[in-house]
Amino acid sequence: MNPLIGIDLGTTYSCLAGMIEGAAKVIPNLEGAATTPSMVCLASTGETLVGNLAMRQSLTNPERTLFAIKRLIGQKFGSARVQEARRHLPYALVEAANGDVQVKVGERRITPQEVSALILGYLKKSAEAYYGTAVREAVVTVPAHFDDNQRQATKDAALIAGLDVLRVINEPTAASLAYGLHRKRAGKVAVFDMGGGTFDITLLEISEGVFHVLATAGDSYLGGEDFDRRLVDWLLTEFKRETREDLSGDKYALQRIKEAAEKAKRELSFTQESEINLPFIASASVGSRHLRRTLTRPLLEELTRDLVEKAFPLVEGALAEAGLRPGEIEDIILVGGQTRMPLLRRQVADFFGRAPNDHLNPDEGVALGAAIQAGILSGEMSEIVLLLDVTSLSLGIEIEQDGFERIIEKNATLPVRKTKPFTTVEDGQRRVRIHVLQGESGKASENTSLGMFDLVGISAASAGIPQIDVTFEIDVNGMVRVSARDTVSGREQKMVVEPSSGLSRSQKNEIMKQASAEGAKNG
Ligand code: AMP
């Protein structure tokens, strides 16, 4: 049997794990490291570098080194968040014909799905080298609050990489599996997950073998990258104040500053002071300029305190939805590299009235949980585990005057299905259009559009007579399905689906054909 792997596809780092001799273990990448930078370099020579190799040359090749691609996957180019991201990224973003965001490198346009596929492909190869056999199936994790477009796009990325995704699992839920598998005592726990790009809070009740998610909330634009940017902005301002030179347009200098800022931020989780030293950051007519600064932990905390604080209203919201008070949470599990920051740990401890649990490695817990889920699916796990996850976003349809009618409420346990009857409003009407959306706003236009579903071929009848039952379903992967049935004839009602984003079947086939041709060319 081919091994089934678990993959944590992170914004900044990714991690791979598998079931080895009955236990979940991290599988090293081709270079022997436990985590792989989620970076891809598309060199002008046509060569593609992934992971550490891409990271090592990012300073000299910022326009061709793609990072934080997870912030773009399944997103529209015109969205406020993509436009904001665009201001800071050294590589170019463009709009696809369906409004999705794409990356432009030289003359080549590439979708976030294809970039993620290169990272997943590297991890697949690493697993194959480790096991010495082909690997075709995986469990892949996503942030709990990823919508259907983002989940579908992640699944497509895996498909392009030659991986069949047997299950998509929420990152915090995966971490709770790694934490709670051998826990005997029943209790309520919180998973506080802040990685490179996203923040999730998930509240669970764990009793022997049963993982019941009570509520989840999050922000896909709150993570380590935002902390780094604050430091970059501070360094740019300081440099300008001192030299009157503005480095914000210099991509090479920016890349060096960003790297140094991230390194200093990490160091300050363990020390009180960190030196930033970037010689020859700019060459002015009067002589070369260097950037030297000492960053202290209190200053870092001052510059980023509001980012840490931004997480807590979401935690409060999740607690309210679960009907819990902070004191009722017995254990807090920290996941994601950014949770190493002492300020964040202090605030978490203050909020819940207890120190967070330190047992799970924040970089590896999610991948280990994905491997456990893989073990459950492949039957390699001897323990009986029941995982009851929830949907993080409400699902509904557009109604008159830009209204949004909820059909499945957020935090409903998965899988969930709801049926709603539809009819016609005009005599002889043969077609009904349903616009399906995800989100929490009362306004349709403020939620994420998943697609237009046209019920077609309705038998001609007077207004209000036909009855078509439309079933909205969210499966265990958190993915949405819509189907319709004519209640008079009992027949499956025909639907024409116009997805709002993502790759069409023919685009996927074309990309996969190209990828396999390139693979053959590169040996
Ligand atoms: P992840 O995607 O979970 O690997 O999280 C990566 C993020 O965690 C990046 O933004 C890192 O800069 C950040 N990070 C890693 N180690 C530390 C640390 N020691 N202190 C603060 N942030 C860290």
Side-chain angles (χ1 to χ4, degrees):
M1 198 176 75
N2 290 107
L4 185 57
I5 53 170
I7 297 178
D8 166 12
L9 181 63
T11 308
T12 46
Y13 288 90
S14 294
C15 187
L16 169 69
M19 290 300 287
I20 293 144
E21 291 163 2
K25 297 225 167 68
V26 167
I27 298 174
N29 66 15
L30 290 172
E31 292 173 79
T35 58
T36 300
S38 303
M39 278 196 183
V40 169
C41 170
L42 301 173
S44 50
T45 54
E47 198 183 12
T48 303
L49 303 172
V50 181
N52 259 314
L53 294 176
M55 191 168 186
R56 265 182 234 131
Q57 56 70 64
S58 63
L59 288 183
T60 50
N61 219 350
E63 284 143 341
R64 289 180 165 270
T65 307
L66 312 179
F67 61 90
I69 215 74
K70 190 173 171 181
R71 287 190 150 186
L72 306 174
I73 202 159
Q75 304 271 359
K76 292 284 166 208
F77 176 77
S79 73
R81 297 206 140 149
V82 168
Q83 287 306 313
E84 165 68 14
R86 209 173 151 211
R87 293 202 300 125
H88 307 285
L89 291 174
Y91 54 85
L93 301 182
V94 289
E95 186 168 13
N98 66 354
D100 283 1
V101 60
Q102 285 186 344
V103 179
K104 190 157 181 268
V105 178
E107 286 312 303
R108 178 174 177 190
R109 279 167 167 253
I110 179 165
T111 62
Q113 289 91 318
E114 289 168 272
V115 180
S116 295
L118 291 166
I119 301 163
L120 290 167
Y122 174 83
L123 296 173
K124 176 178 185 278
K125 257 198 216 152
S126 303
E128 288 174 339
Y130 179 85
Y131 285 111
T133 179
V135 171
R136 296 196 187 90
E137 292 173 325
V139 170
V140 177
T141 62
V142 294
H145 59 276
F146 252 26
D147 63 31
D148 188 66
N149 294 336
Q150 291 165 301
R151 283 168 200 261
Q152 191 58 55
T154 305
K155 214 172 161 193
D156 287 346
L159 187 75
I160 295 167
L163 280 170
D164 191 10
V165 177
L166 290 197
R167 185 66 60 86
V168 175
I169 164 170
N170 292 332
E171 287 160 10
T173 311
S176 77
L177 275 180
Y179 152 88
L181 196 60
H182 301 293
R183 190 186 144 110
K184 290 282 172 262
R185 207 164 42 85
K188 298 188 178 69
V189 302
V191 183
F192 190 105
D193 177 0
M194 196 180 281
T198 61
F199 168 66
D200 270 328
I201 176 76
T202 293
L203 307 172
L204 295 106
E205 176 143 33
I206 304 179
S207 56
E208 224 169 308
V210 182
F211 293 73
H212 187 184
V213 177
L214 304 172
T216 187
D219 184 339
S220 49
Y221 277 76
L222 179 58
E225 290 270 330
D226 301 294
F227 290 71
D228 302 348
R229 198 177 306 142
R230 284 289 165 82
L231 296 186
V232 170
D233 287 346
W234 172 71
L235 286 166
L236 289 176
T237 312
E238 289 285 294
F239 188 77
K240 196 168 171 188
R241 195 167 51 82
E242 204 169 87
T243 65
R244 297 179 179 220
E245 275 195 59
D246 183 3
L247 292 177
S248 61
D250 180 341
K251 288 187 172 158
Y252 295 92
L254 271 182
Q255 194 61 27
R256 282 179 70 193
I257 295 173
K258 180 174 182 294
E259 220 167 78
E262 200 248 356
K263 188 163 157 275
K265 176 191 76 172
R266 283 176 183 247
E267 259 175 43
L268 288 172
S269 291
F270 307 102
T271 60
Q272 287 294 334
E273 269 189 20
S274 174
E275 292 296 326
I276 294 170
N277 191 356
L278 294 167
F280 304 103
I281 194 75
S283 305
S285 47
V286 286
S288 297
R289 302 252 195 233
H290 315 300
L291 198 166
R292 280 200 196 97
R293 273 278 169 287
T294 301
L295 181 63
T296 62
R297 192 188 283 180
L299 181 56
L300 167 71
E301 294 185 350
E302 190 189 312
L303 292 169
T304 59
R305 184 175 301 272
D306 64 309
L307 293 175
V308 174
E309 285 170 352
K310 225 171 140 184
F312 290 93
L314 293 162
V315 180
E316 279 166 1
L319 281 166
E321 273 158 27
L324 292 173
R325 281 174 287 110
E328 289 176 86
I329 300 292
E330 287 165 44
D331 219 349
I332 304 115
I333 311 161
L334 297 180
V335 183
Q338 189 58 43
T339 61
R340 290 206 175 90
M341 185 185 198
L343 172 68
L344 193 147
R345 289 176 169 247
R346 277 202 314 273
Q347 294 219 356
V348 167
D350 285 351
F351 182 89
F352 286 101
R354 66 175 67 227
N357 183 305
D358 257 335
H359 296 319
L360 201 65
N361 179 332
D363 301 327
E364 298 176 358
V366 172
L368 292 173
I372 293 170
Q373 177 66 67
I376 297 169
L377 294 173
S378 66
E380 272 173 272
M381 284 264 311
S382 49
E383 289 94 337
I384 296 170
V385 178
L386 178 63
L387 187 59
L388 299 168
D389 213 335
V390 299
T391 170
S392 58
L393 298 162
S394 299
L395 180 74
I397 52 169
E398 180 173 352
I399 52 172
E400 329 60 84
Q401 294 174 344
D402 194 28
F404 178 63
E405 180 184 331
R406 273 164 227 254
I407 292 179
I408 295 176
E409 293 280 345
K410 102 182 252 216
N411 288 326
T413 300
L414 300 178
V416 56
R417 59 191 330 220
K418 286 274 171 69
T419 299
K420 186 181 157 59
F422 282 81
T423 188
T424 50
V425 288
E426 281 166 26
D427 289 343
Q429 187 181 338
R430 307 294 301 269
R431 172 185 282 260
V432 172
R433 170 155 273 218
I434 307 170
H435 185 195
V436 180
L437 303 132
Q438 265 185 325
E440 306 315 318
S441 170
K443 280 193 182 165
S445 56
E446 288 175 359
N447 290 321
T448 304
S449 167
L450 301 189
M452 294 286 188
F453 295 83
D454 274 344
L455 302 175
V456 293
I458 300 171
S459 354
S462 310
I465 295 297
Q467 193 189 320
I468 298 135
D469 279 349
V470 179
T471 301
F472 298 82
E473 210 175 334
I474 308 181
D475 67 10
V476 284
N477 300 305
M479 294 169 91
V480 176
R481 250 183 263 148
V482 181
S483 57
R485 228 172 116 261
D486 185 331
T487 54
V488 179
S489 68
R491 272 204 319 258
E492 200 67 17
Q493 173 70 42
K494 264 223 217 126
M495 301 184 56
V496 179
V497 182
E498 228 178 84
S500 300
S501 78
L503 299 171
S504 67
R505 192 187 293 256
S506 63
Q507 276 172 312
K508 271 184 257 184
N509 288 341
E510 185 55 35
I511 289 170
M512 282 160 72
K513 239 180 21 211
Q514 243 176 35
S516 75
E518 271 170 32
K521 205 169 62 193
N522 297 330

Short mmCIF file of all heavy atoms in Angstrom, two decimals, residues 10-13 194-196 224-225 228 262 265-266 269-270 336-338 340-341 362-363, ligand 1:
data_model
loop_
_atom_site.label_atom_id
_atom_site.label_comp_id
_atom_site.label_asym_id
_atom_site.label_seq_id
_atom_site.Cartn_x
_atom_site.Cartn_y
_atom_site.Cartn_z
N GLY A 10 1.81 25.85 4.94
CA GLY A 10 1.77 27.11 5.69
C GLY A 10 2.03 28.33 4.81
O GLY A 10 2.50 28.21 3.68
N THR A 11 1.74 29.50 5.35
CA THR A 11 2.00 30.74 4.60
C THR A 11 3.49 30.95 4.44
O THR A 11 3.96 31.31 3.36
CB THR A 11 1.41 31.96 5.36
OG1 THR A 11 0.06 31.70 5.66
CG2 THR A 11 1.51 33.22 4.53
N THR A 12 4.23 30.73 5.51
CA THR A 12 5.68 30.97 5.43
C THR A 12 6.49 29.67 5.43
O THR A 12 7.51 29.58 4.77
CB THR A 12 6.16 31.85 6.59
OG1 THR A 12 5.58 31.36 7.79
CG2 THR A 12 5.79 33.28 6.40
N TYR A 13 6.02 28.69 6.20
CA TYR A 13 6.70 27.38 6.25
C TYR A 13 5.69 26.27 6.08
O TYR A 13 4.55 26.40 6.55
CB TYR A 13 7.42 27.19 7.59
CG TYR A 13 8.65 28.06 7.69
CD1 TYR A 13 8.56 29.34 8.22
CD2 TYR A 13 9.88 27.62 7.22
CE1 TYR A 13 9.66 30.17 8.28
CE2 TYR A 13 10.99 28.43 7.29
CZ TYR A 13 10.88 29.70 7.81
OH TYR A 13 11.98 30.51 7.87
N MET A 194 -1.47 31.12 15.45
CA MET A 194 -1.01 32.25 14.64
C MET A 194 0.28 31.88 13.92
O MET A 194 1.32 31.70 14.53
CB MET A 194 -0.81 33.51 15.47
CG MET A 194 -0.73 34.74 14.58
SD MET A 194 -0.50 36.29 15.45
CE MET A 194 -2.13 36.66 16.05
N GLY A 195 0.14 31.71 12.62
CA GLY A 195 1.29 31.34 11.80
C GLY A 195 1.84 32.56 11.08
O GLY A 195 1.74 33.69 11.57
N GLY A 196 2.38 32.33 9.90
CA GLY A 196 2.97 33.42 9.14
C GLY A 196 1.94 34.36 8.56
O GLY A 196 2.18 35.56 8.41
N GLY A 224 2.40 36.43 11.26
CA GLY A 224 3.78 36.87 11.40
C GLY A 224 4.21 37.89 10.35
O GLY A 224 4.97 38.82 10.65
N GLU A 225 3.71 37.74 9.13
CA GLU A 225 4.07 38.68 8.06
C GLU A 225 3.72 40.12 8.43
O GLU A 225 4.42 41.04 8.05
CB GLU A 225 3.30 38.32 6.78
CG GLU A 225 3.75 37.04 6.12
CD GLU A 225 4.85 37.27 5.10
OE1 GLU A 225 4.89 38.35 4.50
OE2 GLU A 225 5.68 36.35 4.94
N ASP A 228 6.31 41.43 10.76
CA ASP A 228 7.54 41.76 10.02
C ASP A 228 7.39 43.11 9.32
O ASP A 228 8.31 43.92 9.31
CB ASP A 228 7.83 40.69 8.95
CG ASP A 228 7.97 39.30 9.55
OD1 ASP A 228 8.08 39.21 10.79
OD2 ASP A 228 7.97 38.32 8.79
N GLU A 262 12.64 39.98 10.22
CA GLU A 262 12.04 38.72 10.68
C GLU A 262 12.99 37.99 11.63
O GLU A 262 12.58 37.42 12.64
CB GLU A 262 11.70 37.84 9.47
CG GLU A 262 10.68 36.78 9.79
CD GLU A 262 11.20 35.35 9.76
OE1 GLU A 262 12.39 35.16 9.41
OE2 GLU A 262 10.45 34.43 10.10
N LYS A 265 12.94 39.73 14.97
CA LYS A 265 11.69 39.41 15.67
C LYS A 265 11.78 38.04 16.34
O LYS A 265 11.39 37.88 17.49
CB LYS A 265 10.54 39.43 14.65
CG LYS A 265 9.20 39.03 15.21
CD LYS A 265 8.15 38.81 14.13
CE LYS A 265 8.36 37.48 13.42
NZ LYS A 265 7.28 37.14 12.50
N ARG A 266 12.30 37.07 15.60
CA ARG A 266 12.44 35.72 16.18
C ARG A 266 13.37 35.73 17.38
O ARG A 266 13.08 35.14 18.40
CB ARG A 266 13.05 34.77 15.15
CG ARG A 266 12.10 34.31 14.10
CD ARG A 266 12.92 33.47 13.13
NE ARG A 266 12.12 33.02 12.04
CZ ARG A 266 11.80 31.74 11.84
NH1 ARG A 266 12.24 30.82 12.65
NH2 ARG A 266 11.07 31.39 10.81
N SER A 269 12.15 36.82 20.79
CA SER A 269 11.31 35.92 21.60
C SER A 269 12.16 35.30 22.71
O SER A 269 11.63 34.77 23.67
CB SER A 269 10.71 34.82 20.73
OG SER A 269 9.76 35.37 19.86
N PHE A 270 13.48 35.35 22.53
CA PHE A 270 14.36 34.70 23.51
C PHE A 270 15.36 35.66 24.15
O PHE A 270 15.98 35.34 25.15
CB PHE A 270 15.12 33.53 22.85
CG PHE A 270 14.17 32.59 22.16
CD1 PHE A 270 14.01 32.61 20.79
CD2 PHE A 270 13.39 31.71 22.91
CE1 PHE A 270 13.11 31.77 20.17
CE2 PHE A 270 12.48 30.86 22.29
CZ PHE A 270 12.34 30.89 20.92
N GLY A 336 1.66 27.54 15.49
CA GLY A 336 2.14 28.58 14.59
C GLY A 336 3.31 29.32 15.22
O GLY A 336 3.29 29.64 16.42
N GLY A 337 4.32 29.59 14.39
CA GLY A 337 5.57 30.17 14.90
C GLY A 337 5.39 31.49 15.64
O GLY A 337 6.11 31.78 16.60
N GLN A 338 4.41 32.31 15.21
CA GLN A 338 4.27 33.63 15.83
C GLN A 338 3.85 33.54 17.30
O GLN A 338 4.05 34.48 18.06
CB GLN A 338 3.27 34.46 15.00
CG GLN A 338 3.19 35.92 15.38
CD GLN A 338 4.52 36.65 15.27
OE1 GLN A 338 5.27 36.48 14.30
NE2 GLN A 338 4.87 37.44 16.28
N ARG A 340 5.29 32.09 19.51
CA ARG A 340 6.46 32.08 20.39
C ARG A 340 6.71 33.45 21.01
O ARG A 340 7.51 33.60 21.92
CB ARG A 340 7.71 31.66 19.60
CG ARG A 340 7.69 30.21 19.20
CD ARG A 340 9.10 29.69 19.01
NE ARG A 340 9.07 28.28 18.74
CZ ARG A 340 9.00 27.76 17.52
NH1 ARG A 340 8.95 28.55 16.47
NH2 ARG A 340 8.98 26.46 17.36
N MET A 341 6.07 34.47 20.47
CA MET A 341 6.30 35.84 20.96
C MET A 341 5.84 35.97 22.41
O MET A 341 4.68 35.69 22.73
CB MET A 341 5.52 36.82 20.08
CG MET A 341 5.78 38.25 20.42
SD MET A 341 4.71 39.34 19.44
CE MET A 341 5.59 40.87 19.65
N PRO A 362 5.07 24.26 18.06
CA PRO A 362 4.16 25.06 17.24
C PRO A 362 4.39 24.92 15.74
O PRO A 362 3.50 25.18 14.95
CB PRO A 362 4.42 26.50 17.69
CG PRO A 362 5.47 26.47 18.72
CD PRO A 362 5.88 25.06 18.98
N ASP A 363 5.57 24.48 15.34
CA ASP A 363 5.84 24.35 13.90
C ASP A 363 5.36 23.01 13.35
O ASP A 363 5.22 22.85 12.14
CB ASP A 363 7.34 24.43 13.61
CG ASP A 363 7.92 25.74 14.08
OD1 ASP A 363 7.20 26.75 14.01
OD2 ASP A 363 9.10 25.74 14.51
P1 AMP B 1 4.31 29.07 10.64
O1 AMP B 1 3.67 29.43 9.34
O2 AMP B 1 3.40 28.48 11.63
O3 AMP B 1 5.58 28.32 10.49
O4 AMP B 1 4.71 30.48 11.33
C1 AMP B 1 5.74 31.20 10.81
C2 AMP B 1 5.71 32.57 11.43
O5 AMP B 1 6.13 32.47 12.76
C3 AMP B 1 6.64 33.51 10.72
O6 AMP B 1 6.03 34.77 10.58
C4 AMP B 1 7.81 33.59 11.66
O7 AMP B 1 8.47 34.83 11.58
C5 AMP B 1 7.14 33.42 13.00
N1 AMP B 1 8.07 32.93 14.01
C6 AMP B 1 8.84 31.82 13.95
N2 AMP B 1 9.61 31.70 15.03
C7 AMP B 1 9.33 32.77 15.82
C8 AMP B 1 9.80 33.25 17.08
N3 AMP B 1 10.75 32.61 17.73
N4 AMP B 1 9.27 34.39 17.57
C9 AMP B 1 8.33 35.08 16.89
N5 AMP B 1 7.85 34.68 15.70
C10 AMP B 1 8.34 33.55 15.16
#
